[in-house]
Amino acid sequence: MTRKQLKAAAVTILATSVTLAGCGGEQPAAPQSKGPVTITWWSWDEHKFLDPVVEKFNATHNHIKLKVVKQADLPGTAANLRNAVAAKQDVPCLVKNFGEVPGLAGEGLLEDVTEEFAPYTKKGLYNEAAYAGAQAGGRYYGVPSGFGPSFMIINRAVYDKYGIAPPKTWDELIAAGKELKKHGVYVMNLAGEDPSTLVNLTQQAGGTWYKVEGNTWKVDFLSPESLKAGEIIQQLVDNELVANQTYQDRPALIAYFDSGKMVSLPTSTWQLGNYELNYKKSLGDWQPIDLPQFADAPAFVTNAHGSAILVPKGCQNVKEAVEAAVWMTTSKEAVDASYQEDTKQYAWPGAIPDPSPWVDSAVPAKLFGERRAEAKDVILKAVKAARDPWVVGPNYTGVFTELQDQWAQIVTKKITVREALEHMQKFTVDDLKAKNINVQG
Amino acid sequence: MTTTLDRRTVTGSAPRRPVAPHSKRTKATVLFGLIAFTVYSVAPVWWLIVAATKGQSDLYTTSGLWFAEFRLLDNFRELFTYQDGIFLTWMWNTVVYSLAGTAGMTLICVACGYGLAMYRFRGRGVMMGCIIGSFLVPHALLTIPSFLLYTDLRMIDTPWAIIVPSFFSAFSVYLAKVYAEGAIPHELLEAARIDGAGEYRIFFVIGARLMSTGAATIFLLGFVGSWNSFFGPLVYLRSQDKWTVMLGLYSWLKVKVDNSTDLTGLVVVGSIVSLIPMVVLMVSMQRYWRSGVTLGSLK
């Protein structure tokens, strides 16, 4: 019940257009105190992940001190931040990302940090694809925290058993699926509640559902890129090549992946340890491969929509907050400090151009068996080829919920992808109009 | 005046029709119903006990109603050592918040109910109306205004934000009023006044004593409510070392959503440990539910 209430609170978005935000008001000068400035950081990660990084920061910085305040979970963090910003007291200066920046900025929860962040954009500190995730309407409302590189892992043992080559393109994956189907094996899994495969394919094709032109939002769910992505999904569904295991029951899902009945997983670095830990039967059978491409793609591309460490409205020390967040997302010290003894892994440094020093630790020992060495090149290639064309509109939270409903009907063959996209086009435009936001589409 | 209690046979009254013994079918139905209800109530507890003895992977892969590899002691060790024993901190916090809040609530609500039941004063009806009316206001609706109020009072992220609001419970006042009306004879108060006792003394020496059963009920319901409360701590507490056990367990349960770490095993064992104070309280408060407190007081 409380979750419902939290969710209800979370989707109540104030109708203020980001693009009309204009210039922020005069920043009050930070009080010139003698001691170090304390930056409060809200996150719902476990202390064992947070504390080493904070300790390292405090040991290496004199004028700023980081202080973690642990939150219960994502919806709890969202509710607490809304309350704190409304009360204008004890507002934290950094918060782990709990939603898409444009929606939260439109809600008036975030501080415009473009000026403070500008010096750091010139130094080549960040991977180019990481910037977009912290922006809304061309302004920064947080510090980019990067993305997980997209690649694929396949159950090579099953592929080999039926004499099928690993797919290089999505068309080849569909062909492989038709072959595997004869043996009662699914080529991929599309959970009925999770439309992210469609989102990822659209991004990979270089598409976006929202654009900003002047002071108007342009909505286009029916762009060539979007339809191209939809076409792949449509073929997978029509030919019944995919399983529909839900993510809600994770143990059952992992057991299913382990069974050899589903053999290709688009994935990222942060999930590998989990597979290693929970697979029993198929450990050593998997192979990391490049993310399949669109047949007509001019160059190798992986989808990457980054995230951000948020700076909430009412933060008293924006400059120091940005400095601390930049250190956390880009410095070698911060990544090294994130090492976990039990899993022998570092937090994935998803914001920096070259994560090669830490790639090896992200690859678990047994999952890929003798092919473990291949993983490093696959991952680094995915990082280099990452592109983020994705722009998120101010009502994306509600739109995504609607898309989930449509998606459930796609995978159960009640409607086609095109019908769903047409519905989403109308729904999104109407919703923006109802919120008095300038929109074309 | 004294009354003689009727015994079963009273001469002069009409003989009663003997009650027909219950048919076998009725008995069987009732028995079956009771057994089904017992299973329904006990099965979740059984699952919890069994699950607490399992390791993380057995938790998901073996039958939920029977034991696998016995790892209860390891689970306890992990529960009490995880993050320097933060669980014990949460337990202690919850005990303090619940005891302090509920004790205050019981005193205030019993006194308030007593006042409403025993005195006639102007505005009594309106006051009662307000109390009943406040049942209708959904709790969630008050979150933001309460948050702003506590912020102004500088109570956010202090134990007071949990303890002070729990002092006031409209439902407990209503319960106390109804109980007082039934349990305290007006003649007793009159007699006490004639003997020269003041109103406070009458309340503490006579009223409160006679209401002990009602007060115990109010205390127990309040304690259970505040022990299990979740929304308040989630919104008003910030630092993890001030959290309550329910909030802590909830946060552990959510860890696996975006981490490869899964603490569900700790949540199960923690749930059992968090039940213990409740069970102790239930058992120890049984003696308060006794009847006949007032027997002979009017002789």
Side-chain angles (χ1 to χ4, degrees):
Chain A
M1 180 181 132
T2 44
R3 284 207 53 178
K4 262 197 181 154
Q5 291 163 347
L6 288 171
K7 269 195 180 155
V11 296
T12 314
I13 290 189
L14 296 175
T16 42
S17 169
V18 182
T19 50
L20 300 177
C23 325
E26 289 290 307
Q27 277 295 331
Q32 291 296 325
S33 57
K34 287 195 173 59
V37 173
T38 299
I39 297 293
T40 307
W41 175 30
W42 285 6
S43 169
W44 59 92
D45 287 335
E46 284 296 276
H47 273 278
K48 63 174 188 176
F49 300 113
L50 301 170
D51 290 349
V53 177
V54 170
E55 278 160 24
K56 185 75 192 172
F57 181 88
N58 289 340
T60 51
H61 291 73
N62 293 327
H63 63 298
I64 311 175
K65 289 285 168 250
L66 259 182
K67 179 173 150 241
V68 169
V69 175
K70 176 155 162 43
Q71 302 289 309
D73 65 342
L74 183 150
T77 309
N80 280 344
L81 187 71
R82 285 187 172 90
N83 289 345
V85 171
K88 293 192 175 67
Q89 277 189 14
D90 305 324
V91 181
C93 269
L94 296 173
V95 179
K96 180 180 161 101
N97 198 354
F98 57 85
E100 290 284 356
V101 167
L104 301 174
E107 213 184 321
L109 288 176
L110 305 182
E111 193 73 59
D112 184 338
V113 300
T114 313
E115 238 169 273
E116 289 81 359
F117 184 64
Y120 302 103
T121 57
K122 302 186 184 99
K123 294 181 183 171
L125 277 173
Y126 284 94
N127 183 320
E128 289 299 318
Y131 289 126
Q135 290 177 351
R139 312 286 293 173
Y140 286 94
Y141 289 89
V143 172
S145 59
F147 53 89
S150 303
F151 52 98
M152 190 175 247
I153 61 173
I154 61 170
N155 191 327
R156 185 66 190 258
V158 179
Y159 270 86
D160 287 348
K161 185 175 167 187
Y162 301 119
I164 302 167
K168 289 194 170 56
T169 65
W170 291 109
D171 296 340
E172 283 175 25
L173 182 109
I174 290 163
K178 288 175 180 166
E179 198 56 40
L180 288 162
K181 193 187 163 188
K182 296 173 189 164
H183 307 286
V185 175
Y186 289 119
V187 71
M188 249 172 85
N189 182 54
L190 296 179
E193 77 275 3
D194 181 23
S196 60
T197 311
L198 177 61
V199 173
N200 294 344
L201 280 166
T202 307
Q203 290 173 2
Q204 195 187 355
T208 178
W209 288 334
Y210 296 88
K211 271 201 198 88
V212 184
E213 287 187 4
N215 62 353
T216 307
W217 283 98
K218 276 194 75 169
V219 176
D220 194 1
F221 278 81
L222 298 163
S223 64
E225 297 88 0
S226 187
L227 291 173
K228 196 157 83 167
E231 184 53 33
I232 303 292
I233 304 275
Q234 196 63 61
Q235 289 186 57
L236 288 170
V237 172
D238 284 351
N239 294 299
E240 294 174 356
L241 309 180
V242 287
N244 302 129
Q245 288 284 321
T246 172
Y247 285 96
Q248 300 301 324
D249 185 356
R250 203 162 270 270
L253 180 80
I254 298 278
Y256 182 75
F257 289 173
D258 191 30
S259 69
K261 294 249 176 278
M262 193 288 315
V263 291
S264 329
L265 271 173
T267 187
S268 186
T269 40
W270 63 277
Q271 291 167 309
L272 299 180
N274 210 357
Y275 298 142
E276 167 103 353
L277 204 66
N278 293 301
Y279 284 175
K280 293 188 173 72
K281 190 168 150 252
S282 66
L283 271 186
D285 293 347
W286 294 83
Q287 179 188 14
I289 61 168
D290 292 334
L291 190 71
Q293 299 292 301
F294 287 99
D296 59 354
F300 182 80
V301 170
T302 60
N303 58 291
H305 182 57
S307 177
I309 300 182
L310 309 173
V311 180
K313 197 164 210 63
C315 161
Q316 295 298 312
N317 304 295
V318 176
K319 187 172 162 292
E320 288 83 357
V322 168
E323 187 182 333
V326 168
W327 181 90
M328 283 197 277
T329 49
T330 61
S331 80
K332 183 176 180 308
E333 287 170 323
V335 186
D336 286 343
S338 71
Y339 184 72
Q340 293 292 318
E341 283 292 336
D342 51 356
T343 54
K344 302 198 170 27
Q345 290 196 338
Y346 298 88
W348 180 255
I352 57 177
D354 180 21
S356 50
W358 299 281
V359 174
D360 203 48
S361 77
V363 184
K366 302 188 208 113
L367 182 64
F368 302 129
E370 291 164 5
R371 296 195 178 81
R372 184 175 181 277
E374 298 169 22
K376 188 169 179 173
D377 292 341
V378 167
I379 292 171
L380 288 175
K381 188 177 171 185
V383 173
K384 278 206 173 53
R387 297 290 174 272
D388 186 4
W390 196 242
V391 178
V392 178
N395 62 341
Y396 190 62
T397 315
V399 164
F400 192 80
T401 312
E402 183 70 17
L403 181 63
Q404 283 181 301
D405 293 348
Q406 295 291 309
W407 177 257
Q409 297 178 57
I410 291 172
V411 298
T412 50
K413 287 190 169 182
K414 288 197 177 71
I415 56 173
T416 64
V417 181
R418 190 176 174 110
E419 282 168 350
L421 289 170
E422 281 166 1
H423 170 87
M424 289 312 302
Q425 176 72 21
K426 186 176 175 327
F427 175 89
T428 308
V429 171
D430 290 351
D431 186 59
L432 285 171
K433 278 182 181 158
K435 295 187 161 106
N436 294 323
I437 295 171
N438 289 335
V439 60
Q440 264 187 323
Chain B
M1 63 173 281
T2 54
T3 52
T4 49
L5 291 173
D6 287 353
R7 294 274 174 263
R8 247 177 321 150
T9 49
V10 182
T11 48
S13 64
R16 282 206 199 143
R17 226 160 34 88
V19 182
H22 292 300
S23 70
K24 276 208 171 116
R25 191 192 300 174
T26 315
K27 272 188 181 162
T29 313
V30 170
L31 194 66
F32 175 77
L34 287 172
I35 289 171
F37 195 73
T38 308
V39 169
Y40 176 77
S41 312
V42 172
V45 181
W46 173 248
W47 180 89
L48 193 65
I49 292 169
V50 169
T53 66
K54 292 178 179 176
Q56 189 68 50
S57 63
D58 281 347
L59 194 60
Y60 293 132
T61 50
T62 58
S63 159
L65 295 175
W66 201 246
F67 299 92
E69 191 193 351
F70 193 83
R71 291 180 38 101
L72 182 62
L73 295 178
D74 296 338
N75 288 346
F76 273 127
R77 195 173 307 120
E78 200 181 347
L79 175 73
F80 294 130
T81 53
Y82 187 86
Q83 211 189 313
D84 308 329
I86 188 95
F87 181 80
L88 289 171
T89 312
W90 292 339
M91 282 292 281
W92 175 243
N93 289 345
T94 317
V95 168
V96 171
Y97 300 163
S98 299
L99 276 180
T102 316
M105 187 271 283
T106 308
L107 179 67
I108 289 170
C109 294
V110 164
C112 188
Y114 170 90
L116 283 167
M118 292 295 135
Y119 299 112
R120 298 279 169 273
F121 54 91
R122 187 175 301 193
R124 179 168 165 269
V126 175
M127 206 185 237
M128 204 58 218
C130 290
I131 288 169
I132 304 268
S134 68
F135 295 174
L136 304 176
V137 181
H139 226 56
L141 206 65
L142 302 173
T143 308
I144 299 270
S146 310
F147 182 88
L148 296 175
L149 176 68
Y150 302 160
T151 306
D152 287 343
L153 294 172
R154 290 261 158 227
M155 286 196 335
I156 294 292
D157 200 26
T158 66
W160 300 114
I162 305 299
I163 294 171
V164 174
S166 66
F167 283 170
F168 309 101
S169 156
F171 183 72
S172 300
V173 171
Y174 175 76
L175 214 62
K177 173 186 175 283
V178 172
Y179 192 83
E181 279 170 347
I184 309 175
H186 279 281
E187 299 88 333
L188 253 187
L189 303 195
E190 294 300 332
R193 284 185 191 120
I194 288 166
D195 287 342
E199 294 302 328
Y200 282 102
R201 188 171 169 195
I202 292 175
F203 170 65
F204 283 111
V205 174
I206 299 171
R209 297 281 166 88
L210 291 180
M211 287 173 73
S212 64
T213 306
T217 311
I218 288 169
F219 182 87
L220 192 81
L221 289 177
F223 191 89
V224 172
S226 90
W227 185 268
N228 292 330
S229 72
F230 171 81
F231 204 55
L234 178 75
V235 174
Y236 306 131
L237 296 178
R238 289 270 179 274
S239 348
Q240 212 186 1
D241 57 345
K242 296 195 184 78
W243 282 6
T244 61
V245 74
M246 292 302 150
L247 185 54
L249 290 176
Y250 169 80
S251 79
W252 279 356
L253 194 58
K254 300 299 281 288
V255 165
K256 64 172 182 282
V257 175
D258 47 8
N259 273 307
S260 51
T261 326
D262 185 352
L263 301 175
T264 311
L266 287 189
V267 176
V268 172
V269 185
S271 303
I272 287 205
V273 176
S274 77
L275 283 176
I276 293 170
M278 294 295 211
V279 175
V280 169
L281 191 78
M282 283 278 185
V283 172
S284 65
M285 287 191 74
Q286 269 181 330
R287 62 194 185 88
Y288 283 98
W289 285 278
R290 49 169 196 250
S291 57
V293 182
T294 57
L295 266 188
S297 63
L298 288 179
K299 280 202 170 148

